[in-house]
Amino acid sequence: MECFDVTIIGGGPAGMYSAFYSGMRDMKTKLIEANEVLGGRMLHYPEKMIWDVGGVTPMPCEKLIGQLEQQARTFDPEIILGEQVTHLSLQEDGTYILTTASGEQHWTKTVIMAVGYGMIKPAKLEIEGAERFEVTNLHYTVQELEVFRGKHVLISGGGDSAVDWANELEPVAGSVTIVHRRNEFGGHERNVVRMKESSVQVHTPYKVEKLHSADGETISQVTVAHMESGETMFFDVDAVIVNHGMKSDFGPVRNWGIKMGEWTAEVDEQLQTALPGVFGAGDYIDYTNKVRLIAGTFTDAVQAVNGAKRFIEPEADQYAMVSSHNNRFKEKNRALGAAEE
């Protein structure tokens, strides 16, 4: 059985950039993703605008995913989709065997865990009977802004996504109202200020109390209640969007011997977990001064790959040579030059 230098588990930004950078380090690379497509958590927000990636002008998540995938495939790593890794076992020679739910086995010298928060699902609205509206106008994500054009939209939540959706829907929808259980929003400061300065109606601290339906199939009105006084207000709506965070399920990963808290794994300065040769990157790990941005994820990927390279070859350079001087790009640069002529 062929043994890879590094196998990356997870195909989000951390996994995709790890696949690219491991190519810069001339490592034989495999990436395994449980979903049928790459993108990770970003797939939940295809039209959400991404502003904070260095050197990249604002673009929808969907476009950034496509560019990350194109970059990840630069050095032709083996990419396996639709397979969940269920078992990890250390062999006597120090290599690992990864076994997927289908029974397939994959041999590797090192592993990079880029699994984010595991298999994530949105936290549902805890109101009896709410699930029947999920097929009509109760939403847990925003896939297409145009769906809400001209509509009266109520958003429940106060995190990054709730604030971003409010800002992006404000010029599209007929009206946008956001209710949040706390007075303070958890989104990035500039986005919160932008929301409050717009026409978005902000009501805090309130929660969604009841959903009303005139036809039994769609939500036509929402009752919201003040968290302290219990005072209620009523809003006529065409759509309700709920963003109460995500529920995480790491599944069998918790049984692999990696030291984990509720959401993240512990790593050392090389981003190595408690298992030798098993590194982490992205949302899956936590450490002092961790930067929870996509840009920070890229740095994690670099550090994890460098750790894996030196785990296999202790005398290897600490970092890859920059792309402008890296021999791995010579042929690619010539091809780009020829294409421009």
Side-chain angles (χ1 to χ4, degrees), residues 34-313:
N35 288 318
E36 296 292 342
V37 293
L38 297 173
R41 190 178 180 185
M42 295 173 69
L43 293 169
H44 291 272
Y45 318 109
E47 291 197 354
K48 185 175 178 180
M49 295 300 292
I50 304 299
W51 289 74
D52 51 9
V53 176
V56 176
T57 55
M59 67 176 64
C61 238
E62 188 173 42
K63 184 176 180 181
L64 183 58
I65 291 171
Q67 292 188 179
L68 283 169
E69 179 174 354
Q70 182 180 359
Q71 184 182 48
R73 294 181 180 275
T74 300
F75 298 104
D76 299 317
E78 182 172 340
I79 296 178
I80 297 174
L81 302 175
E83 287 280 2
Q84 181 186 12
V85 179
T86 55
H87 295 87
L88 176 150
S89 57
L90 178 62
Q91 307 304 295
E92 290 184 1
D93 63 358
T95 61
Y96 284 94
I97 296 177
L98 304 176
T99 306
T100 66
S102 67
E104 291 290 326
Q105 292 188 322
H106 306 268
W107 271 254
T108 187
K109 297 175 184 177
T110 62
V111 177
I112 294 178
M113 301 290 294
V115 297
Y117 296 121
M119 301 297 288
I120 57 174
K121 296 180 180 180
K124 296 297 186 74
L125 185 63
E126 295 181 355
I127 292 179
E128 185 177 355
E131 64 279 356
R132 75 179 189 272
F133 300 117
E134 292 178 16
V135 297
T136 53
N137 63 340
L138 175 59
H139 307 268
Y140 289 99
T141 187
V142 174
Q143 296 288 335
E144 296 180 35
L145 294 176
E146 281 299 317
V147 170
F148 303 94
R149 181 166 293 280
K151 294 184 178 180
H152 299 292
V153 180
L154 184 139
I155 300 173
S156 177
D160 279 325
S161 294
V163 172
D164 288 347
W165 288 337
N167 284 329
E168 292 175 24
L169 286 169
E170 189 264 345
V172 176
S175 68
V176 177
T177 301
I178 187 167
V179 297
H180 181 39
R181 290 171 172 264
R182 290 180 287 278
N183 285 314
E184 300 298 324
F185 285 86
H188 292 298
E189 295 94 332
R190 182 67 192 97
N191 294 337
V192 173
V193 170
R194 175 186 166 199
M195 177 184 70
K196 290 182 175 180
E197 291 178 345
S198 72
S199 66
V200 174
Q201 301 176 51
V202 179
H203 296 282
T204 61
Y206 280 86
K207 67 174 181 177
V208 174
E209 180 86 351
K210 193 172 182 180
L211 306 176
H212 308 273
S213 175
D215 59 10
E217 296 180 356
T218 58
I219 304 166
S220 55
Q221 191 178 66
V222 175
T223 300
V224 302
H226 194 277
M227 295 297 297
E228 298 167 1
S229 68
E231 173 193 1
T232 59
M233 293 190 296
F234 302 89
F235 295 95
D236 293 327
V237 299
D238 298 309
V240 175
I241 301 171
V242 175
N243 180 246
H244 292 174
M246 296 286 182
K247 291 186 176 180
S248 170
D249 181 8
F250 286 101
V253 171
R254 288 194 178 276
N255 302 322
W256 292 358
I258 298 172
K259 293 181 180 178
M260 291 181 60
E262 181 180 2
W263 291 95
T264 56
E266 298 178 16
V267 291
D268 62 18
E269 292 181 355
Q270 284 72 48
L271 304 195
Q272 185 172 220
T273 69
L275 297 179
V278 177
F279 299 81
D283 288 333
Y284 178 66
I285 61 172
D286 195 22
Y287 54 86
T288 302
N289 297 325
K290 166 77 173 176
V291 177
R292 295 201 172 278
L293 295 172
I294 294 174
T297 283
F298 300 153
T299 299
D300 286 353
V302 168
Q303 297 282 50
V305 170
N306 286 332
K309 178 72 172 182
R310 287 168 65 85
F311 182 86
I312 299 170
E313 303 174 34

